[in-house]
Amino acid sequence: MKKLLKPLAVIVIAVGIAAGAAVYLSRTPDQPVEDTGTAKPVQLKGGHFRGPENAQVTLVEFGDYECPSCGGFHPFVKEILSRYPDKLRLEFHHFPLIAVHPNAMLGAMAAEAAGDQGKYWEMHDALFEHQREWGESRNAEVIVMALASRIGLDMNKFMQELHSPAVQDRILRDETQAEQLKLNETPSFLIDGQRVYIKPSIEDFVNVIEAHLHK
């Protein structure tokens, strides 16, 4: 009897493993895992805001200035903000993926350094609009300096801030928040603390924003 039970147990275990594998493999890679609501929502700190403070919807973006996808989404983000000037606000956080984008930290530092002179969004836009020029360059800092001069920054102060540990700490704080949210790609968008998956088209942005406006 014991000899029969042992092979039977092995068969049962094997069937269980096979069933689990089938369920896992049936889930497509791009399908988001449903949030069970058990994790505590992260209360975001810092960030840069564009749009009215009392906006009905705040779109949170974790982005990387060297990331081609972020650059591709940039015109759509600007367009959706212009379409809902009184109802939508953007909250941008840094998430430089330096393992694949070696100039990403420089871009984030440049935006923060410009922000210290009240021109964060001017640099934000310039970095995305000239992404290929500096992002693919071995002399990226020279190009970023030219962008800073073009938007009218005090260059001495900008250079000091560009290499400031305090500025870098702000970026690392954003990275920590991204890790707490278990984000692993850029751009990542959230509304009301939940991930939203948006295609790079103005139509999809409109659909997502409209859905949240009419909740």
Side-chain angles (χ1 to χ4, degrees):
M1 188 67 172
K2 288 184 180 179
K3 291 182 179 179
L4 290 174
L5 286 175
K6 188 172 181 180
L8 181 60
V10 171
I11 293 171
V12 170
I13 292 170
V15 170
I17 292 171
V23 171
Y24 177 80
L25 292 173
S26 68
R27 194 169 62 207
T28 58
D30 294 332
Q31 182 179 353
V33 179
E34 186 175 343
D35 185 0
T36 61
T38 55
K40 293 182 179 179
V42 174
Q43 298 297 320
L44 295 177
K45 297 179 181 179
H48 294 270
F49 296 88
R50 195 173 211 170
E53 188 174 351
N54 60 347
Q56 189 174 339
V57 173
T58 296
L59 176 69
V60 177
E61 177 181 358
F62 278 82
D64 172 332
Y65 285 111
E66 193 187 343
C67 165
S69 293
C70 294
F73 269 90
H74 176 65
F76 299 117
V77 173
K78 288 191 73 176
E79 174 65 19
I80 200 67
L81 287 169
S82 71
R83 291 199 183 194
Y84 297 91
D86 301 321
K87 298 179 180 179
L88 181 63
R89 192 182 200 206
L90 174 66
E91 178 180 335
F92 189 90
H93 291 267
H94 302 290
F95 192 20
L97 303 177
I98 58 175
V100 289
H101 302 140
N103 289 330
M105 181 59 79
L106 171 66
M109 295 282 284
E112 285 293 324
D116 285 345
Q117 296 188 44
K119 292 196 174 184
Y120 178 87
W121 292 109
E122 288 87 344
M123 180 59 82
H124 172 94
D125 292 344
L127 288 167
F128 279 133
E129 290 161 10
H130 298 273
Q131 185 185 70
R132 293 190 66 178
E133 296 170 33
W134 66 270
E136 299 176 4
S137 174
R138 292 184 179 181
N139 297 310
E141 187 168 317
V142 173
I143 300 172
V144 167
M145 291 289 291
L147 294 177
S149 178
R150 192 179 304 174
I151 64 176
L153 296 180
D154 177 327
M155 297 307 295
N156 289 329
K157 183 177 180 182
F158 179 76
M159 274 298 294
Q160 292 174 0
E161 295 294 313
L162 191 61
H163 300 283
S164 164
V167 168
Q168 187 174 27
D169 285 346
R170 291 181 225 157
I171 297 162
L172 296 177
R173 186 166 57 239
D174 271 357
E175 285 186 320
T176 298
Q177 294 183 118
E179 291 167 2
Q180 289 174 333
L181 290 164
K182 298 182 179 179
L183 304 180
N184 57 10
E185 62 185 2
T186 55
S188 288
F189 296 102
L190 300 91
I191 296 178
D192 298 330
Q194 299 295 322
R195 279 290 298 275
V196 288
Y197 296 85
I198 307 174
K199 297 175 183 177
S201 73
I202 194 61
E203 292 78 14
D204 208 46
F205 265 101
V206 168
N207 290 338
V208 169
I209 299 306
E210 285 289 337
H212 283 83
L213 285 173
H214 293 96
K215 270 190 173 182

